[in-house]
Tab-separated table of all heavy atoms in Angstrom:
chain	number	residue	atom	x	y	z
A	290	GLU	N	39.038	-62.819	67.328
A	290	GLU	CA	39.660	-61.565	67.656
A	290	GLU	C	40.020	-60.686	66.504
A	290	GLU	O	40.123	-61.285	65.358
A	290	GLU	CB	41.008	-61.793	68.520
A	290	GLU	CG	40.777	-62.459	69.844
A	290	GLU	CD	42.120	-62.612	70.603
A	290	GLU	OE1	42.939	-61.680	70.485
A	290	GLU	OE2	42.330	-63.641	71.201
A	291	SER	N	40.066	-59.444	66.644
A	291	SER	CA	40.349	-58.580	65.422
A	291	SER	C	41.715	-58.863	64.895
A	291	SER	O	42.624	-59.334	65.565
A	291	SER	CB	40.303	-57.127	65.855
A	291	SER	OG	41.384	-56.760	66.734
A	292	SER	N	41.885	-58.564	63.648
A	292	SER	CA	43.180	-58.852	63.025
A	292	SER	C	44.289	-57.975	63.560
A	292	SER	O	45.444	-58.382	63.629
A	292	SER	CB	43.072	-58.517	61.491
A	292	SER	OG	42.697	-57.214	61.242
A	293	VAL	N	43.999	-56.803	64.082
A	293	VAL	CA	45.006	-55.919	64.769
A	293	VAL	C	45.554	-56.553	66.030
A	293	VAL	O	46.773	-56.704	66.247
A	293	VAL	CB	44.364	-54.509	65.062
A	293	VAL	CG1	45.474	-53.654	65.695
A	293	VAL	CG2	43.972	-53.860	63.720
A	294	SER	N	44.615	-56.901	66.851
A	294	SER	CA	45.007	-57.578	68.129
A	294	SER	C	45.642	-58.914	67.873
A	294	SER	O	46.536	-59.369	68.580
A	294	SER	CB	43.844	-57.673	69.155
A	294	SER	OG	42.888	-58.519	68.623
A	295	GLY	N	45.147	-59.574	66.847
A	295	GLY	CA	45.642	-60.948	66.451
A	295	GLY	C	47.103	-60.880	66.203
A	295	GLY	O	47.886	-61.701	66.493
A	296	LYS	N	47.493	-59.908	65.383
A	296	LYS	CA	48.982	-59.757	65.020
A	296	LYS	C	49.872	-59.549	66.232
A	296	LYS	O	50.912	-60.154	66.363
A	296	LYS	CB	49.173	-58.583	64.031
A	296	LYS	CG	48.630	-58.855	62.692
A	296	LYS	CD	48.772	-57.697	61.741
A	296	LYS	CE	48.127	-57.943	60.326
A	296	LYS	NZ	48.312	-56.832	59.437
A	297	SER	N	49.383	-58.755	67.209
A	297	SER	CA	50.240	-58.433	68.379
A	297	SER	C	50.315	-59.710	69.303
A	297	SER	O	51.326	-59.949	69.840
A	297	SER	CB	49.666	-57.209	69.110
A	297	SER	OG	48.378	-57.479	69.549
A	298	ASN	N	49.170	-60.396	69.428
A	298	ASN	CA	49.183	-61.530	70.317
A	298	ASN	C	49.880	-62.706	69.697
A	298	ASN	O	50.592	-63.473	70.432
A	298	ASN	CB	47.663	-61.918	70.641
A	298	ASN	CG	46.961	-60.930	71.466
A	298	ASN	OD1	47.605	-60.157	72.204
A	298	ASN	ND2	45.624	-60.963	71.442
A	299	ALA	N	49.771	-62.888	68.446
A	299	ALA	CA	50.354	-64.101	67.762
A	299	ALA	C	51.878	-64.045	67.894
A	299	ALA	O	52.553	-65.063	68.043
A	299	ALA	CB	49.908	-64.109	66.267
A	300	SER	N	52.407	-62.878	67.824
A	300	SER	CA	53.917	-62.757	67.870
A	300	SER	C	54.473	-63.227	69.198
A	300	SER	O	55.614	-63.497	69.314
A	300	SER	CB	54.314	-61.307	67.557
A	300	SER	OG	53.820	-60.488	68.500
A	301	SER	N	53.613	-63.153	70.291
A	301	SER	CA	54.144	-63.502	71.585
A	301	SER	C	53.777	-64.902	72.032
A	301	SER	O	54.136	-65.283	73.100
A	301	SER	CB	53.572	-62.517	72.637
A	301	SER	OG	52.127	-62.617	72.653
A	302	ILE	N	53.193	-65.680	71.127
A	302	ILE	CA	52.801	-67.050	71.412
A	302	ILE	C	53.713	-68.012	70.757
A	302	ILE	O	53.965	-67.916	69.510
A	302	ILE	CB	51.343	-67.259	70.973
A	302	ILE	CG1	50.427	-66.368	71.734
A	302	ILE	CG2	51.007	-68.741	71.247
A	302	ILE	CD1	48.969	-66.474	71.264
A	303	ASP	N	54.294	-68.960	71.434
A	303	ASP	CA	55.104	-70.045	70.857
A	303	ASP	C	54.173	-71.248	70.544
A	303	ASP	O	53.874	-72.082	71.401
A	303	ASP	CB	56.225	-70.455	71.840
A	303	ASP	CG	57.184	-71.451	71.185
A	303	ASP	OD1	56.933	-71.834	70.055
A	303	ASP	OD2	58.181	-71.853	71.846
A	304	TRP	N	53.694	-71.279	69.313
A	304	TRP	CA	52.731	-72.248	68.973
A	304	TRP	C	53.334	-73.674	68.938
A	304	TRP	O	52.564	-74.632	69.147
A	304	TRP	CB	52.046	-71.932	67.663
A	304	TRP	CG	51.189	-70.664	67.751
A	304	TRP	CD1	51.464	-69.440	67.173
A	304	TRP	CD2	49.884	-70.637	68.289
A	304	TRP	NE1	50.347	-68.622	67.483
A	304	TRP	CE2	49.419	-69.323	68.134
A	304	TRP	CE3	49.058	-71.545	68.986
A	304	TRP	CZ2	48.164	-68.874	68.565
A	304	TRP	CZ3	47.836	-71.172	69.410
A	304	TRP	CH2	47.387	-69.802	69.243
A	305	THR	N	54.570	-73.796	68.772
A	305	THR	CA	55.225	-75.125	68.735
A	305	THR	C	55.034	-75.761	70.058
A	305	THR	O	54.805	-77.005	70.141
A	305	THR	CB	56.738	-74.961	68.426
A	305	THR	OG1	56.865	-74.209	67.197
A	305	THR	CG2	57.423	-76.297	68.299
Side-chain angles (χ1 to χ4, degrees):
E290 295 184 40
S291 68
S292 58
V293 176
S294 63
K296 289 179 181 178
S297 61
N298 289 341
S300 60
S301 62
I302 300 173
D303 186 356
W304 290 107
T305 306

